[in-house]
């Protein structure tokens, strides 16, 4: 009897154990399968776009990682590496156009490549997400369809900007519009990349909001005029020094549209333009936004070490205005600004420090900047955020400040340049830029005047503008001669690991 | 008639004289293993009378030939011998412990050692308890062939265990089965709790564990009482001191200053000049000479442990109870220690004749204060040119630690290490219960049995990590105090049902096992953090600080498994052996749900054959072979679908108009690059030989194994966007030989034994799914995987010397076009001889997998003393000294003294090390063989000297043992890092040495009392 009870017990246990079918078949814990996005809820449609903005404003991937910033800007003659000689000496090799094994082995090389392409990757995914939302827009709902197109255009702007940046550093690079072929994609030439940007902006500009970013529906998002400026910049890169190039027409047309809209105005105070009062001003056409939410503690959304790496080195006696000392304004730019009497720009571009650790220089905003044992007395002034503008309680340098990318003055100066190159009068836009910093207006402006103004206006910024201007105007050979410029080394080599992973990049 | 009667009497008396005639026989009774004579053995005849052996184990007794003598001695299995014709009788009694030794624990059951077809190692638990380690697996280092145990130094840390090479880049650790419960590590166990440990190394042994078994299985049964056993009490305790051994000496102030000055740049010299100005010095030699590691380490960190266990049994119930306590201080001179106490209770009751019920519970409780290991990394980088404390650093609070910015360093990697270690409070309190209940049912006599067992693991860890408000300098500061509070909960269960049928007919024996197992593992972590928390510990709750919008996180996993398995064994006359197993495993982790794992093993005991009878050269010789398939599900569970990244971290900030602050607009990104991951399947062949020779004195085994892992899962670097993608990308084969040899003998009072094991390993990638090669590891000094070579070998240039003068540079074609190369730089070899140095000149510069791992031990005993020494080592592996290579990012960092003082400083000074100036130029930091060093080592693992004595008499003796132990006292290696045992997560698991925690040796004294 007990034997049969035992057998019955055993068999029932077996059956019990194997009966629940979904014991093995459940989704993984703590993940949100992509399928859970409700594409029918069109109020969620901006979310993928917001995600791309956030990705772009981060470091890895993103546009503001400190080594990436240094790598794209250091080749201009407005910036020296800064800090001590042996600190990130690879940057000096890059500055001296030595594309040798040492540069190949530099850790920042692959870093900046993957950071930019990471943004392009996520932008492509966001576009696919927007397509999925688009499938659920009812026929006849023009409002939502227009919004969907506008959102796609915003993402395409960021993707195009990523390609602009990566091509400025590496030259011939692949255009990534389809993530499925990421392992095989081939290289495109510099011209093809710029043409891609122009084409993208042609398709996007009208879909974007006709407002300035400051007044956009999502405050700070890119708008029609941001796209036009990007298009103009790409066109100027193709046009180069050829005054007869049809691309100068594109530049002229795009910048004329921006100016004619009458929506943009230069911010009056150039010094404060880069500080708290100048955040998302009427001049801004694209800005990376950050926030400390006005709180003295808690979350602080910041661009990683972007500000810290440019802050003044040495013992700053507890002041938040401190950092690692990179991105130092060069003696050349200081001399240039001094000679042309450009005081406001000089005061904005350069942050002066004491001659040694016990002496200090007080800035016009009331911060005492002490010296350091290295003897470096100049630091990047455009990254400077005065302590009295910071939210009380915050100690991170640059907390709550934005990173300026595109400004209206760029459109004005490109407009002036295009006009002069086409034999027209370029005085009006040039003088708007000059008057903002209390410089005397010029009549009968020449190309040199415009190019000098560009040099002064964008000195020591973070997008490689000066180096790009020298390359496209053919001035690099002379101006950068003492750094050893050769056109063979004008771009950095594609990182070895990328060539290993995708032989089409050889 | 009367004559017949007389004849009958005569015959009977004569005959009975022949058979019934009393004679005296003599003999000796000895222990079958140690061959020592046993005094006091009771010898009884069938009529109840008897005698005893004398002090030498000898006896003399009057018997008649029909008598049988029974030999009894406490602790030994009794033997009955028929006298027969013999005049001299030598009896070998087998101790009960040794009788148990013949029985080996295998998967879901036990087997007689001689009947196994698989190489199962039964670990000598006695030698485990000799090691003063917190973790029993650490104690195994070097003792078992084919098992490599790699330890880190920190208290409370688990070692990495590899059985038979690296077949997987994921979980390499074997499956631990403790009293039926599957656990990931045995940190919570004390060696004294272990009764039996078996290691199943190959497919046919481990296949019964299916998808968990690819890395081998370690089966542990904890101590249990026995029926009808007198209560036994055992106490063991030891006190020890730990201090760092084989410390790497970092360059001192003078050496570091010399290196900086040799670079001949203003920036580098400034550090020296500033140090002399602020902290004193003479000429160009600074006085400041801080030994950061010395400041961080404490010598003679104490450690002590106590274990008590009581076990016994009556006719129907047996029980065992154990308690142990471990208290270990860490060697960092800051709050770091590990305290653990365990309680163990086991009871088994014979409820009915056919039903036995049992219950086991382990309870353990531990508190771990973790040191900030980042402080050791900082100590490696830190310049010796500034002191620990500096009264001139007026802004520093609460302690006046010195700041490296005062002499010009301005990056976070040059933070003050002592300050980093000091401003740290990281405590984890863990609590775990492992209850288990089982029922053994005899369905049909001794033949058909059923067992059901439910084991659970319930654990909860709470960790809080508090950083106080402090300031040292701009980069080393915490404006507000911060608290992170983490709670982990584990609930696992496993339910096994086993049906066994054993039978025999004549000389055929067979058994069949059918099993069913269900299990579920759940883990959940909840974390919250906040700023500005009050300083006293009672107030360390996150609601007392400022809430952070992103200061919370939750994570969790759930894995479930369902299995059906079967095993059949058959043997004929214990000479021809066959074992076959099959397991079907279902797992919830992957997209493929079910896996099937068969195995078969054959054995042939040659010494039972007629042609080997009658010789006494070979006592035992068995030939065996096996094949099987195992699975490894230690791979990351895979979603197998695109995932959303949502939340504040993926939401953009908008509305940041000056001077106001912006705010979030909800957003997300999608991670669409994923693969369908499945478990790795290992297919293994094994051939082996077990032998015992020379009168049981020489025992050994030789094995050859070949393991092929299909679907090796690892991370591959992604094109263009960087990062890695995880998936099953290749097939890799591990093969090698394992040798085990043990010799033991006695010469009178002196006994000795010598044993050794050696494993050779050859690792080769067999298939990469059509891809030519894969890169991994670090991007600047990568590892490469391609078909036909070991997995993840280091890939770079070969360094063949140093340029001694400019002429040499000018004559070398590869330097054409590179105007920055100076004397003192590395000479890279132009492998293809084309006169250009480029990517085609990169080559295989070594593999992190050892070619041989070995261990050997010696033991001596003389009267009451015993001494044992264990060695362990490995050879043929390479390590990439990432600590030295970090100089590429921070050339002004400090370095190990050997490197700093050996730098090239002129023609002919050295052909191995570069110049100081070369260490600032990226040309010398390319992936090359300079950074890849040999990781071979030989270590004295353990030395123990003991003295045994007994108090009391006969049956009620109390045995004492006093011992002194040195654990890891010395290591012999040429590697220039802290330890050649490199292990860890991420790239550390690929042979990149990022380790900075010094290894310590423990010297201890202990006592064991058994009653």
């Amino acid at each position: 009897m007990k034997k049969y009870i035992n057998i019955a017990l055993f068999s029932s246990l077996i059956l019990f154990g194997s009966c629940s079918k979904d014991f093995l078949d459940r989704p993984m814990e703590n993940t949100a399968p992509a399928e859970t996005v409700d594409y029918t809820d069109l109020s969620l449609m901006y979310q993928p776009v917001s995600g791309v903005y956030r990705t772009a404003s981060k470091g890895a991937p993103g546009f503001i990682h400190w080594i990436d910033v240094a790598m794209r800007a250091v080749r201009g003659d407005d910036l020296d590496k800064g800090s001590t000689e042996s600190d990130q000496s690879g940057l000096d090799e890059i500055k001296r156009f030595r594309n040798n094994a040492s540069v190949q082995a530099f850790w920042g090389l692959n870093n900046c490549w993957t950071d930019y392409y990471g943004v392009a990757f996520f932008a492509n995914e966001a576009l696919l997400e927007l397509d999925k939302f688009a499938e659920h827009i009812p026929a006849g709902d023009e409002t939502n369809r227009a919004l969907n197109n506008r959102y796609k255009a915003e993402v395409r702007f960021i993707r195009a900007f990523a390609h602009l940046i990566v091509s400025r550093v590496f030259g011939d690079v692949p255009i990534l519009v389809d993530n499925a072929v990421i392992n095989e994609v081939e290289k495109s030439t510099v011209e093809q990349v710029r043409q891609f940007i122009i084409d993208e902006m042609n398709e996007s500009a009208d879909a974007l909001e006709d407002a300035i970013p400051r007044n956009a529906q999502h405050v700070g998002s890119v708008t029609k005029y941001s796209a036009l400026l990007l298009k103009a910049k790409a066109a100027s890169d193709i046009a180069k020094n050829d005054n007869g190039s049809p691309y100068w027409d594109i530049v002229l047309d795009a910048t004329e549209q921006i100016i004619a809209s009458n929506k943009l105005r230069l911010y009056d105070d150039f010094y404060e333009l880069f500080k708290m009062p100048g955040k998302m001003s009427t001049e801004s056409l694209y800005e990376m936004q950050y926030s400390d939410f006005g709180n003295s503690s808690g979350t602080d959304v910041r661009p990683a070490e972007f500000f810290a790496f440019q802050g003044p080195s040495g013992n700053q006696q507890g002041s938040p205005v401190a950092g690692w000392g990179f991105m130092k304004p060069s003696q050349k730019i200081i001399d240039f600004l001094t000679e042309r009497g450009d005081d406001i720009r000089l005061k904005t571009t350069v942050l002066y420090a004491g001659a040694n650790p016990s002496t200090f220089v007080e800035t016009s905003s009331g911060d005492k900047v002490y010296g350091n044992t290295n003897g470096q007395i100049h630091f990047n002034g455009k990254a400077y955020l005065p302590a009295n503008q910071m939210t009380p309680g915050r100690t991170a340098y640059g907390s709550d400040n934005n990173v300026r990318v595109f400004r209206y003055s760029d459109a004005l100066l490109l407009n002036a340049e295009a006009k002069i190159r086409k034999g027209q009068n370029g005085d009006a836009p040039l003088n708007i830029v000059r008057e903002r910093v209390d410089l005397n207006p010029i009549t009968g402006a020449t190309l040199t005047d415009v190019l000098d103004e560009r040099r002064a206006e964008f000195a020591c910024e973070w997008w490689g503008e000066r180096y790009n201007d020298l390359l496209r105007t053919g001035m690099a050979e002379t101006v950068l001669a003492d750094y050893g410029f050769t056109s063979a080394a004008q771009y950095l080599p594609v990182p070895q690991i990328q060539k290993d992973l995708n032989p089409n990049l050889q | 008639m009367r004559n017949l009667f007389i004849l009958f009497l005569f015959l009977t008396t004569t005959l009975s004289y022949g058979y019934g005639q009393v004679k005296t026989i003599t003999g000796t009774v000895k222990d079958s293993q140690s061959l020592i004579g046993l005094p006091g053995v009771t010898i009884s005849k069938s009529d109840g009378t008897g005698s005893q052996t004398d002090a030498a184990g000898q006896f003399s007794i009057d018997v008649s030939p029909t008598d049988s003598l029974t030999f009894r001695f406490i602790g030994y299995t009794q033997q009955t011998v028929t006298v027969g014709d013999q005049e001299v009788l030598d009896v070998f009694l087998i101790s009960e412990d040794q009788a148990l030794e013949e029985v080996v624990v295998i998967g879901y059951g036990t087997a007689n050692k001689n009947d196994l077809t698989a190489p199962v190692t039964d670990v000598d638990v006695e030698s485990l308890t000799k090691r003063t380690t917190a973790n029993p697996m650490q104690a195994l280092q070097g003792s078992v062939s084919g098992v490599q145990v790699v330890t880190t130094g920190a208290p409370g840390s688990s070692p990495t265990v590899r059985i038979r090479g690296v077949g997987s880049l994921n979980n390499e650790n074997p499956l631990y089965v403790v009293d039926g419960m599957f656990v990931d590590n045995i940190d919570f166990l004390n060696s004294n709790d272990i009764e039996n440990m078996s290691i199943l190394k190959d497919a046919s042994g481990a296949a019964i564990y299916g998808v968990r078994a690819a890395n081998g299985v370690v089966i542990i049964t904890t101590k249990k009482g026995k029926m009808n056993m007198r209560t036994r009490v055992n106490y063991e305790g030891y006190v020890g001191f730990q201090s760092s051994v084989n410390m790497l000496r970092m360059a001192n102030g003078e050496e570091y200053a010399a290196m900086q000055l040799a670079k001949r740049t203003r920036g580098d010299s400034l550090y020296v000049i500033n140090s002399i100005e602020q902290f004193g010095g003479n000429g160009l030699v600074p006085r400041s000479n801080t030994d950061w590691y010395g400041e961080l380490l404490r010598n003679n960190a104490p450690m002590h442990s106590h274990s008590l266990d009581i076990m016994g049994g009556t006719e129907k119930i047996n029980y065992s109870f154990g308690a142990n306590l471990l208290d270990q201080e860490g060697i960092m001179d800051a709050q770091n220690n590990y305290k653990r106490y365990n309680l163990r209770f086991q009871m088994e009751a014979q409820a009915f004749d056919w039903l036995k019920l049992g219950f086991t519970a382990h309870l353990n409780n531990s508190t771990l204060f973790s040191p900030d290991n980042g402080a050791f990394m900082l100590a490696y980088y830190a310049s010796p040119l500034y002191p620990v404390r500096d009264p001139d650093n007026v802004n520093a609070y609460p302690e006046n630690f010195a700041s490296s910015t005062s002499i010009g360093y301005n990056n976070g990697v040059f933070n003050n290490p002592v300050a980093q270690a000091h401003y740290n409070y990281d405590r984890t309190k863990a609590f775990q219960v492992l209850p288990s209940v089982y029922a053994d049912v005899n369905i049909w006599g001794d033949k058909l049995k059923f067992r059901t067992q439910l084991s659970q693991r319930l654990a909860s860890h709470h960790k809080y990590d508090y950083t106080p408000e402090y300031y040292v300098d701009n980069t080393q500061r915490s404006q507000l105090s911060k608290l992170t509070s983490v709670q982990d909960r584990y609930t696992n269960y496993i339910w096994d049902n086993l049906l066994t049928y054993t039978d025999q007919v004549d000389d055929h024996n067979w058994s069949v096992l059918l099993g069913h197992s269900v299990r579920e593992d759940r883990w959940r972590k909840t974390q919250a953090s906040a700023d500005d928390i009050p300083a006293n510990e009672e107030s360390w709750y996150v609601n007392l600080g400022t809430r952070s919008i992103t200061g919370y996180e939750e994570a969790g996993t759930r894995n479930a498994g369902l299995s059906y398995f079967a095993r059949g064994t058959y043997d004929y006359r214990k000479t021809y052996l066959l074992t076959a197993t099959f397991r079907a495993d279902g797992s919830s982790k992957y997209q493929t749900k079910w896996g099937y794992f068969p195995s078969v093993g054959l054995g042939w005991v040659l010494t039972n054959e007629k042609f080997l009878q009658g010789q006494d050269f070979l006592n035992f010789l068995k030939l065996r072979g096996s094949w099987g398939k195992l699975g490894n599900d230690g791979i990351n569970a895979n979603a197998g679908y695109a995932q959303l990244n949502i939340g504040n971290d993926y939401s953009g900030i908008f509305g940041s108009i000056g001077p106001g602050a912006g705010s979030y607009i909800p957003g997300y990104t999608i991670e669409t690059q994923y693969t369908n991951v499945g478990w790795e399947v290992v297919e293994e062949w094994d051939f082996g030989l077990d032998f015992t020779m020379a009168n049981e004195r020489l025992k050994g085994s030789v094995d050859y194994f070949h393991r092929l892992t299909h679907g090796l899962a690892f991370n591959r670097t992604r094109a263009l966007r960087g990062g890695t993608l995880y998936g099953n990308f290749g097939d890799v084969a591990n093969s090698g030989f394992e040798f085990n040899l043990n010799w033991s003998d006695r010469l009178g009072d002196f006994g000795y034994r010598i044993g050794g094991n050696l494993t050779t390993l050859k690792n080769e990638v067999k298939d990469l799914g059509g891809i030519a090669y894969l890169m991994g590891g670090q991007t600047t000094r990568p590892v490469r995987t391609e078909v036909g070579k070991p997995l993840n070998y280091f890939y770079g240039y070969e360094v063949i010397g140093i340029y001694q003068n400019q002429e040499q540079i000018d004559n070398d074609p590869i330097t054409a076009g590179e105007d920055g190369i100076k004397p003192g730089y590395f000479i890279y070899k132009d492998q293809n001889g084309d006169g250009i140095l480029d990517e085609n000149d990169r080559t295989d510069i070594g593999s992190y997998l050892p070619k041989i791992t070995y261990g050997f031990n010696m033991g001596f005993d003389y009267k009451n003393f015993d001494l044992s020494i264990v060695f362990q080592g490995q050879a043929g592996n390479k390590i990439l000294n990432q600590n030295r290579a970090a100089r590429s990012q921070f050339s002004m960092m400090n370095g190990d003294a050997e490197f700093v003082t050996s730098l090239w400083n002129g023609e002919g000074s050295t052909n191995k090390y570069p110049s100081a100036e070369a260490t600032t130029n990226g040309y010398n930091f390319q992936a090359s063989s300079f950074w890849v060093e040999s990781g071979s080592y030989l270590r004295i693992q353990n030395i123990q000297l003991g003295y045994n004595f007994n108090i009391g008499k006969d049956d009620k003796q109390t045995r004492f043992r006093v011992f002194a132990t040195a654990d890891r006292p010395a290591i012999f290696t040429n590697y220039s890092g802290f330890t050649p045992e490199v292990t860890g997560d991420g790239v550390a698991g690929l042979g990149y040495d990022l380790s900075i925690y010094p290894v310590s040796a423990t010297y201890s004294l202990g006592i064991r009392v058994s009653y």
Side-chain angles (χ1 to χ4, degrees), chain B residues 493-549:
Chain B
Y493 74 81
I494 183 166
W495 182 26
D496 290 327
N497 296 298
L498 308 168
L499 185 67
T500 326
Y501 176 75
T502 323
D503 205 349
Q504 61 165 94
V505 169
D506 295 335
D507 281 332
H508 303 265
N509 307 298
W510 71 85
S511 75
V512 175
L513 164 74
L514 292 175
H516 162 256
S517 173
V518 180
R519 69 174 199 280
E520 190 175 289
D521 296 339
R522 277 183 191 269
W523 165 67
R524 193 173 186 123
K525 172 179 100 159
T526 308
Q527 176 176 323
S529 63
D531 293 338
D532 208 4
I533 303 279
N536 57 320
E537 197 169 334
E538 291 73 23
S539 302
W540 290 356
Y541 286 85
V542 292
N543 59 321
L544 293 181
T546 315
R547 302 261 173 94
S548 168
I549 300 180

Side-chain angles (χ1 to χ4, degrees), chain A residues 10 18 31 50 54 85 129 291, chain B residues 267 450 564 641 648 662 665 668:
Chain A
F10 176 63
S18 49
T31 57
S50 173
R54 183 61 189 272
E85 281 110 330
E129 288 296 292
S291 180
Chain B
F450 172 71
Y564 299 95
Y641 44 76
N648 284 334
I665 290 186
Y668 67 81

